[in-house]
Amino acid sequence: MGIYVNDSPPSQSRQFFRRKCQDPSLTGPILIVIATAIANVLSVAVVTSQIITALGKTSTTQLILVFSYVRILVLSIVGVFLMWFAVTAIIYVTMEKLNASQKSFRDLFKLVGWGFTPAVFSGLVSGVATFLVYTQVSFPSDPAQFSALFSSLRNNPIFFTSRLLFVTFTLWQGLLWFFAVKNLYDVSRRVAGGSVVVPTLLWLFLPLSSII
């Protein structure tokens, strides 16, 4: 039993952030955040591709497709980095108001970046779900009918499962931020947990797709 507890995911996360607090690096978090941005555009890329196919693959639509992919990816990367900064700022201000020991915003920023790891998996799951659903339907050639198609697929069981997994991944994300704060500030579980409630709810109720 002791071996199981020591090797449990929460224990591994605690030990991971304990090591990272000694010498926070920016390279790993940046790669994680970029991966998050790429994973989160997969769903939009699938739908865009299906729309272009329905409209006909002419040279113009192909150009529109490439432009759309580049635009979505750039906006996604910007959006995730803004969320990274926002989450860090919220936690930093919260800890200041709780009179926690002063820590470097830069160190907190680096540690918070690691917490986006579950968002990579969430984006991949969403992309796969979108692919499984939208590749099984025929898109109308009339763009005016797209809205009705999207509405009819909204309650698809695959999307429902994807949303449940999104909630699970978001809670995991909050747990990682919890360990980041607890180890960096060396505070109680109650204080660390209270500092990550707002960022976790922000990520949960303001999906990346709504800001790109």
Side-chain angles (χ1 to χ4, degrees), residues 145-163:
Q145 299 178 16
F146 287 164
S147 179
L149 175 64
F150 296 150
S151 297
S152 66
L153 296 175
R154 192 167 299 165
N155 295 322
N156 186 286
I158 294 179
F159 281 148
F160 179 75
T161 302
S162 176
R163 287 192 290 269

Side-chain angles (χ1 to χ4, degrees), residues 11-165:
S11 178
Q12 292 176 356
S13 298
R14 182 171 58 252
Q15 294 170 12
F16 173 82
F17 282 106
R18 188 173 297 165
R19 293 193 304 270
K20 291 300 178 182
C21 283
Q22 304 303 318
D23 184 25
S25 170
L26 191 58
T27 303
I30 285 180
L31 293 177
I32 291 294
V33 171
I34 291 177
T36 299
I38 294 174
N40 275 277
V41 302
L42 293 180
S43 296
V44 183
V46 169
V47 176
T48 302
S49 178
Q50 291 296 101
I51 291 176
I52 295 299
T53 300
L55 296 178
K57 289 187 176 182
T58 64
S59 58
T60 301
T61 56
Q62 291 284 15
L63 182 61
I64 294 175
L65 178 61
V66 172
F67 175 77
S68 298
Y69 284 165
V70 173
R71 175 182 175 275
I72 292 168
L73 180 59
V74 171
L75 290 178
S76 179
I77 292 175
V78 172
V80 175
F81 271 87
L82 287 176
M83 285 294 292
W84 184 10
F85 181 84
V87 169
T88 304
I90 291 172
I91 295 175
Y92 187 81
V93 171
T94 301
M95 296 305 291
E96 274 195 336
K97 291 185 177 298
L98 294 175
N99 296 318
S101 57
Q102 190 68 28
K103 296 295 180 180
S104 166
F105 183 89
R106 179 179 297 182
D107 287 346
L108 179 61
F109 184 72
K110 295 173 182 176
L111 294 175
V112 166
W114 288 107
F116 282 87
T117 302
V120 178
F121 296 102
S122 179
L124 292 175
V125 169
S126 179
V128 171
T130 302
F131 177 82
L132 292 176
V133 173
Y134 280 98
T135 54
Q136 299 302 315
V137 299
S138 298
F139 271 68
S141 56
D142 182 6
Q145 299 178 16
F146 287 164
S147 179
L149 175 64
F150 296 150
S151 297
S152 66
L153 296 175
R154 192 167 299 165
N155 295 322
N156 186 286
I158 294 179
F159 281 148
F160 179 75
T161 302
S162 176
R163 287 192 290 269
L164 288 180
L165 289 174

Side-chain angles (χ1 to χ4, degrees), residues 87 89-98 100 174-175 177-179 181-182 185 187-202:
V87 169
I90 291 172
I91 295 175
Y92 187 81
V93 171
T94 301
M95 296 305 291
E96 274 195 336
K97 291 185 177 298
L98 294 175
L175 182 63
W177 289 333
F178 163 82
F179 282 121
V181 173
K182 190 177 188 309
Y185 285 90
V187 292
S188 67
R189 293 181 179 179
R190 182 178 61 82
V191 172
S195 70
V196 302
V197 169
V198 173
T200 303
L201 292 177
L202 179 65

